[in-house]
Amino acid sequence: MKITGKVIRYGDNVDTDVIIPARHLNTSDPKELAAHCMEDLDPDFVKKVQPGDIIVAGKNFGCGSSREHAPIAIKASGIACVVAKSFARIFYRNAINTGLAIVEYDGDIRDGDQLDIDFAHGVIRNHRDNTQGRFTPFPEFLQKIITAGGLFKAKETMQ
Amino acid sequence: MNMTMTQKILAAHAQRDSVLPGELILAKIDLALANDITAPVAINEFRKAGGGCVFDCQKIALVMDHFTPNKDIKAAEQTKLVRDFAHEKGIEHFYDVGAMGIEHALLPEKGLVVAGDLVIGADSHTCTYGALGAFSTGVGSTDMAFGMATGKAWFKTPSAIKFNLRGKLPKWVSGKDVILHIIGLIGVDGALYQSMEFGGDGVASLTIDDRLCICNMAIEAGGKNGIFPVDQVTLKYIAAHSTREPVIHAADSGAEYERVFDIDLAAIRSTVAFPHLPSNTKTFDQIPSIPIDQVVIGSCTNGRLSDLAVAAELLKGRKVNPRVRTIIIPATQKIYLDAVHQGLVDIFINAGCAVSTPTCGPCLGGHMGILAKGERAVATTNRNFVGRMGHPESEVYLASPAVAAASALTGVITDPATI
């Protein structure tokens, strides 16, 4: 899987309460959740996000609650991938299980940069300065889960 | 090979002699838990995957505790979805309004978790049960659905950090101050993907409620689980609450830890986590006079009987500051009833507090105590992220029940030792 997208940049410790505030957890509908994605961190997010955009953040992305609504909201908002220096462990599992592409990578990436990400080979290319960085690609079975759109959707292809 | 407690429990449930940190395993689970927010997503996934029978209707707990008694129509629809599923599948441990309590206070009280168990829960604070010598960890709804269907979950075996506790806590200082101190020390990702194992001579002086509170917030340091050794205090608690036999796993003396911290309990002071991270901790020598608007005493972290008793000790015969809305939430029906019988509820109401039926409500900004723009709360809960208890420009200060009660009396964040 390869993607190209524009970067929306955030900092460290982006928690699940700002990704999708609990006041909106009285639904599990992806579209409704997406309408409030990142609301308490960046109220303009839903206005500016374009399908295929990439969130890039610092360490411990997705810390806090186990709510799967967080990766569901990000994915339904159109975000193609989240790149972060590190992920909180429950979010990490939930992203894979719901088919949201994630990459652990630490590099000089700025808001508005254009990135190419090659998941199979573990390569990120930044159009701004034409630099290239490497990350450890997921094993094939995890890539299949993400490509299929989640653990349960991947079940048949895995058997 | 030498193993930590966590490695031993994981190995036993993967039917292996040993497991190494980093190793991926498929393990049997003793209990799978979800609540009214996470269960609906799990149930939808479970049904999409073909539905059918759950792996064991006695080993699934569904606790309606977050937006209950239902705060609005959407929350009521979500709860109804779970209720219908529970009845359809014959889920034995389904707890609805009237029987429910906050899940991580309720399950130990009902004897559903004993030492040696492997528990997954679609709630990040599932790590609480490590206090009983169990391995328990938070997962998402898809993992919960897989667990309900198969009775299994996959894990990456964590490496561990050891916390050697010695000495005894001073008056007014509790498990909450210990865990806030530790999170302040190592940071909100200080134990990322790792197990936090507690040990040392100081453990014996900690009550089960202190240990539950400490393990509850392991996730706030990024930890996969928190775990205490099993001693007489644990066994006495389990015998009083469960008919199941505990299985005792002890860490080997040669077990490997990535880091070791020595913590003198006698040196811990009342600690407050300032907005907007649980690691942003201060002790009272660093805290100026900060006026507050609300106090919440409750939650899966600090809604147990001993927490209410400490608050009552400070509130007895006094009135809370009229500018401070003080909300007290016993975590379970049993705790509520015990608080009534012991006269604690009389003390709270006479002091000007509101006492509520069990709910997670205000902790996550759901209902029952939402903050307006610019308002500040002292809460015995576990998170103080932006917007956690209401408006994105409100503030939450995390503290022990003693600090919360003292602050309710004065209207500013207050050291209970000064009351």
Side-chain angles (χ1 to χ4, degrees):
Chain A
M1 191 168 86
K2 288 181 188 176
I3 61 162
T4 298
K6 188 162 71 68
V7 170
I8 300 177
R9 188 74 164 90
Y10 297 115
D12 292 338
N13 302 315
V14 174
D15 62 78
T16 52
D17 276 281
V18 296
I19 295 172
I20 181 71
R23 58 183 175 274
H24 303 302
L25 297 184
N26 53 5
T27 177
S28 43
D29 178 60
K31 276 189 196 134
E32 279 187 65
L33 294 169
H36 300 287
C37 190
M38 310 304 277
E39 191 170 274
D40 285 358
L41 177 66
D42 179 5
D44 293 331
F45 174 83
V46 290
K47 283 177 244 162
K48 69 186 178 196
V49 66
Q50 296 294 322
D53 282 358
I54 297 165
I55 288 179
V56 178
K59 63 175 185 173
N60 205 23
F61 187 90
C63 61
S65 140
S66 67
R67 62 189 71 157
E68 210 158 278
H69 312 67
I72 291 172
I74 292 174
K75 196 178 162 193
S77 75
I79 289 290
C81 178
V82 181
V83 177
K85 191 175 168 186
S86 65
F87 290 90
R89 59 160 286 275
I90 304 178
F91 184 91
Y92 187 88
R93 272 182 97 101
N94 287 350
I96 293 166
N97 284 340
T98 55
L100 171 67
I102 52 170
V103 168
E104 260 182 337
Y105 178 78
D106 184 20
D108 173 25
I109 304 175
R110 301 172 196 170
D111 197 62
D113 281 359
Q114 195 84 14
L115 302 182
D116 295 335
I117 303 178
D118 178 340
F119 293 91
H121 297 97
V123 178
I124 287 189
R125 192 173 75 84
N126 193 334
H127 291 217
R128 174 171 50 82
D129 49 10
N130 204 26
T131 51
Q132 218 167 264
R134 300 197 71 85
F135 60 91
T136 310
F138 278 139
E140 203 184 333
F141 83 99
L142 288 184
Q143 289 189 43
K144 271 187 186 163
I145 293 174
I146 290 168
T147 312
L151 180 65
F152 277 95
K153 284 185 186 137
K155 225 171 123 213
E156 288 94 47
T157 63
M158 286 162 75
Q159 278 162 355
Chain B
M1 68 170 289
N2 289 313
M3 292 194 286
T4 63
M5 271 184 89
T6 293
Q7 281 172 272
K8 285 191 176 178
I9 296 173
L10 290 176
H13 286 79
Q15 283 145 336
R16 299 261 301 265
D17 293 331
S18 64
V19 290
L20 288 164
E23 219 175 328
L24 288 165
I25 56 160
L26 190 65
K28 283 200 299 184
I29 54 180
D30 297 301
L31 188 72
L33 159 76
N35 57 50
D36 52 308
I37 290 179
T38 59
V41 180
I43 291 165
N44 288 338
E45 286 295 323
F46 182 89
R47 292 203 193 281
K48 271 195 263 171
C53 293
V54 296
F55 85 104
D56 187 333
C57 58
Q58 296 181 332
K59 292 185 176 177
I60 293 167
L62 299 173
V63 186
M64 306 298 95
D65 58 359
H66 275 62
F67 291 165
T68 54
N70 287 136
K71 73 182 186 103
D72 55 28
I73 294 168
K74 283 184 180 174
E77 300 285 349
Q78 296 282 91
T79 308
K80 184 173 184 298
L81 187 154
V82 183
R83 188 180 299 121
D84 291 346
F85 177 84
H87 290 155
E88 178 192 323
K89 304 295 180 194
I91 304 293
E92 191 174 311
H93 302 296
F94 170 66
Y95 297 100
D96 209 339
V97 171
M100 70 82 175
I102 296 174
E103 50 200 323
H104 309 307
L106 186 70
L107 268 48
E109 181 189 290
K110 295 283 183 191
L112 298 187
V113 183
V114 300
D117 277 353
L118 192 159
V119 180
I120 60 164
D123 187 279
S124 60
H125 294 106
T126 302
C127 50
T128 307
Y129 317 124
L132 303 178
F135 173 86
S136 62
T137 192
V139 297
S141 294
T142 301
D143 281 321
M144 173 69 190
F146 187 81
M148 285 199 297
T150 64
K152 290 179 180 159
W154 67 266
F155 298 99
K156 189 171 170 184
T157 310
S159 61
I161 304 179
K162 180 74 180 282
F163 297 89
N164 278 320
L165 311 179
R166 66 170 194 281
K168 207 177 160 193
L169 292 169
K171 175 76 177 164
W172 301 122
V173 179
S174 67
K176 182 60 163 286
D177 302 292
V178 176
I179 190 63
L180 288 176
H181 172 77
I182 288 173
I183 297 165
L185 198 65
I186 67 174
V188 288
D189 61 348
L192 198 59
Y193 307 120
Q194 292 181 299
S195 174
M196 296 169 75
E197 294 211 5
F198 300 91
D201 299 342
V203 168
S205 72
L206 295 172
T207 64
I208 279 292
D209 286 3
D210 281 327
R211 300 179 196 185
L212 288 163
C213 174
I214 291 169
C215 287
N216 174 272
M217 287 187 72
I219 181 70
E220 266 36 91
K224 182 163 195 152
N225 68 317
I227 195 161
F228 270 86
V230 177
D231 63 6
Q232 288 310 311
V233 176
T234 330
L235 293 174
K236 199 176 152 198
Y237 180 90
I238 291 171
H241 292 85
S242 186
T243 53
R244 292 177 52 223
E245 276 299 309
V247 178
I248 302 171
H249 295 277
D252 292 320
S253 56
E256 284 184 22
Y257 298 96
E258 292 213 346
R259 291 198 284 173
V260 177
F261 292 90
D262 288 310
I263 294 183
D264 179 6
L265 296 177
I268 305 262
R269 296 288 170 261
S270 289
T271 302
V272 179
F274 275 46
H276 291 285
L277 283 177
S279 57
N280 193 12
T281 54
K282 296 185 198 299
T283 47
F284 277 92
D285 51 319
Q286 306 162 299
I287 299 176
S289 178
I290 298 172
I292 57 166
D293 306 283
Q294 180 167 295
V295 161
V296 174
I297 298 174
S299 84
C300 59
T301 313
N302 281 128
R304 298 181 182 84
L305 192 64
S306 60
D307 299 314
L308 304 188
V310 166
E313 197 179 331
L314 285 153
L315 295 170
K316 190 173 185 179
R318 297 187 169 110
K319 292 274 182 201
V320 299
N321 186 297
R323 288 188 294 103
V324 181
R325 311 178 302 264
T326 305
I327 301 162
I328 299 186
I329 309 179
T332 68
Q333 292 287 78
K334 182 175 187 305
I335 293 167
Y336 199 166
L337 204 52
D338 287 347
V340 170
H341 290 154
Q342 293 183 16
L344 308 184
V345 172
D346 276 30
I347 292 170
F348 296 145
I349 292 177
N350 286 328
C353 308
V355 183
S356 158
T357 190
T359 180
C360 306
C363 171
L364 73 163
H367 62 148
M368 290 296 293
I370 306 299
L371 299 173
K373 183 177 177 175
E375 286 193 325
R376 289 194 195 101
V378 171
T380 68
T381 56
N382 42 56
R383 292 195 176 122
N384 55 353
F385 300 147
V386 170
R388 174 73 179 180
M389 200 174 268
H391 195 281
E393 289 173 44
S394 61
E395 293 182 345
V396 177
Y397 295 75
L398 303 175
S400 68
V403 170
S407 306
L409 290 170
T410 61
V412 295
I413 300 175
T414 298
D415 183 351
T418 63
I419 295 290

